[in-house]
């Protein structure tokens, strides 16, 4: 009887391990609570290591030796697989990028949690990182304009673009706003109307689609999808599909912002070799795709990499870094990437 129970528990543990290790195979990566469980693979590795240690201790009891050995093998396989995935995506925590060239474009993505991060700190980060495109979900228009003034005074001018849901609500949450700053060196830009009025946009919090008015610059999408809470799972999945649709093959597009999703969650949404639509994740191709950007309350290697910069095949990622949490109170770390124009 006890042997049958042991076999049943081992089988159930093996199934659970397979699901959280490769949820895409079971089409469960966008299903509650699997979505939340797989958000940090580093935590999964630690959990499997704990189970492995417990199983090894249980092996000291002779009647439990076979059962414990089976659990240990499954835990070792599950933890090893997640560790391998982390290594492939990159765990480089260096906060320095390659030297910037005249053709490089640096893209900064930072959910500032409203006014939790001051305009001074944001402007200083933009200048120190030499950013050309800055996506700031949850940053208000007033703060964006203040940042632009400080950048102008620092000799780093940028144009401000902004999208807000329900502007008639005077005390609405900062999450209803997204601000984008773009260097004049990339040309003149304008927010497309459907992005501004919400007729074609992410569901509960806004993304901004900013297209070049002149020049050959990329279309920039400052992304903010709703968080995958239990009651928002459908909206979150629709948001990810909408973002994927903004990045069709053959177009010149850069996505940046708070996707509230890891690469695991995006499985099946890539086309033409992309991770989301035809856009490729810059951090994972530059060796730091497994470094967490959220939350700042845990070490970066234990966090969830849910903030991204992605670009179509016209761009090649030459560097990416998750910046240390600043003095402000945002629960997101900033992500800076360097993109180079891909040679034909």
């Amino acid at each position: 009887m006890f042997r049958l129970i042991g076999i049943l528990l081992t089988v159930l543990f093996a199934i659970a391990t397979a699901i959280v290790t490769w949820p895409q195979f079971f089409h469960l990566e966008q299903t509650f609570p699997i979505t939340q469980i797989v958000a940090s693979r580093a935590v999964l590795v630690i959990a499997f290591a704990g189970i492995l240690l417990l199983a090894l201790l249980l092996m000291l009891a002779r009647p439990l030796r076979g059962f414990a050995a089976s659990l240990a093998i499954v835990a070792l396989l599950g933890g090893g697989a997640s560790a391998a995935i982390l290594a492939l995506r990159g765990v480089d925590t260096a906060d320095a990028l390659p030297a910037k060239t005249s053709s490089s474009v640096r893209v900064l993505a930072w959910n500032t949690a409203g006014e939790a991060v001051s305009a001074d700190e944001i402007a200083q980060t933009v200048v120190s990182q030499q950013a050309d495109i800055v996506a700031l979900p949850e940053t208000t228009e007033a703060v964006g304009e203040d940042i632009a003034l400080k950048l102008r005074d620092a000799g780093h001018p940028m144009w401000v673009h902004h999208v807000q849901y329900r502007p008639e609500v005077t005390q609405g949450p900062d999450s209803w706003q997204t601000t984008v700053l773009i260097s004049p060196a990339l040309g003149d830009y304008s927010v497309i109307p459907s992005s501004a009025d919400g007729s074609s946009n992410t569901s509960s919090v806004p993304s901004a689609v900013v297209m070049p008015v002149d020049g050959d610059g990329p279309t920039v999408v400052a992304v903010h999808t709703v968080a995958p809470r239990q009651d928002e799972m459908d909206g979150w999945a629709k948001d990810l599909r909408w973002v994927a649709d903004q990045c069709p093959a053959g177009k010149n597009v850069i996505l940046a912002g708070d996707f509230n999703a890891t690469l695991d969650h995006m499985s099946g949404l890539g086309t033409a070799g992309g991770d989301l639509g035809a856009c490729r994740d810059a951090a994972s191709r530059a060796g730091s795709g497994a470094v967490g950007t959220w939350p700042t309350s845990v070490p970066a290697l234990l966090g969830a990499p849910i903030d991204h910069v992605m670009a179509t095949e016209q761009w090649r990622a030459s560097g990416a870094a998750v910046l240390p949490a600043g003095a402000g109170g945002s629960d997101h770390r900033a992500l800076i990437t360097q993109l180079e124009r891909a040679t034909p």
Side-chain angles (χ1 to χ4, degrees):
M1 181 65 174
F2 287 112
R3 184 180 179 184
L4 290 176
I5 293 175
I7 293 173
L8 176 61
L9 291 176
T10 301
V11 170
L12 291 175
F13 178 54
I15 293 172
T17 297
I19 289 174
V20 299
T21 301
W22 202 248
Q24 300 92 322
F25 180 80
F26 303 92
H27 303 289
L28 293 174
E29 70 277 6
Q30 294 185 4
T31 303
F32 181 89
I34 305 302
T35 294
Q36 290 70 22
I37 293 173
V38 302
S40 173
R41 283 195 175 270
V43 172
L44 282 177
V45 172
I46 292 173
F48 281 124
I51 295 171
L52 174 61
L53 179 60
L54 178 60
L56 293 175
L57 291 174
L58 288 176
M59 287 178 66
L60 297 175
R62 187 177 184 87
L64 297 175
R65 191 164 295 169
F67 169 63
S70 299
L71 291 183
I73 292 171
V74 175
L76 183 62
L77 292 173
S82 282
I85 292 170
L86 287 173
L88 286 172
R89 291 177 181 170
V91 293
D92 185 0
T93 57
D95 57 3
L97 296 177
K100 189 177 182 183
T101 68
S102 58
S103 61
S104 301
V105 171
R106 288 192 174 180
V107 186
L108 178 73
W110 194 3
N111 183 329
T112 60
E115 296 184 4
V117 183
S118 69
D120 273 333
E121 184 176 354
I122 297 170
Q124 289 169 12
T125 301
V126 171
V127 172
S128 66
Q129 297 298 326
Q130 300 177 275
D132 304 291
I133 299 170
V134 183
L136 299 171
E138 300 193 18
T139 296
T140 66
E141 184 175 25
V143 172
E145 291 174 348
D146 193 9
I147 295 168
L149 290 174
K150 296 179 186 302
L151 291 175
R152 182 194 64 187
D153 294 342
H156 191 94
M158 301 190 84
W159 296 116
V160 181
H161 306 277
H162 174 260
V163 170
Q164 180 178 1
Y165 280 174
R166 302 184 64 185
E168 72 278 5
V169 180
T170 56
Q171 298 297 322
D174 293 335
S175 61
W176 287 355
Q177 303 191 50
T178 293
T179 293
V180 192
L181 295 95
I182 299 179
S183 169
L186 293 174
D188 291 333
Y189 276 76
S190 177
V191 175
I192 67 170
S194 62
S195 170
D197 64 21
S199 59
S200 175
N201 208 317
T202 39
S203 58
S204 301
V205 289
S207 298
V209 182
V210 192
M211 298 187 70
V213 175
D214 58 23
D216 60 352
T219 295
V220 176
V221 184
V223 175
H224 194 192
T225 70
V226 68
R229 302 181 184 90
Q230 185 173 4
D231 58 345
E232 293 280 8
M233 293 298 294
D234 288 343
W236 169 73
K238 290 178 181 177
D239 283 357
L240 287 178
R241 290 195 294 271
W242 180 87
V243 176
D245 289 343
Q246 307 314 303
C247 208
K251 298 295 184 180
N252 185 2
V253 181
I254 294 176
L255 310 175
D258 178 7
F259 291 61
N260 271 307
T262 70
L263 292 177
D264 288 309
H265 303 135
M266 300 175 192
S267 177
L269 296 177
T271 59
D275 297 304
L276 193 63
C279 281
R280 299 165 168 85
D281 183 64
S284 62
R285 283 160 175 77
S288 58
V291 182
T293 58
W294 176 90
T296 54
S297 58
V298 302
L301 287 178
L302 294 181
I306 61 173
D307 299 88
H308 302 272
V309 172
M310 298 185 170
T312 46
E313 62 182 357
Q314 288 83 357
W315 301 93
R316 175 182 60 84
S318 61
V322 175
L323 303 181
S330 176
D331 55 348
H332 288 252
R333 293 179 176 86
L335 170 67
I336 181 72
T337 64
Q338 181 163 307
L339 303 177
E340 316 289 347
R341 293 188 183 273
T343 54

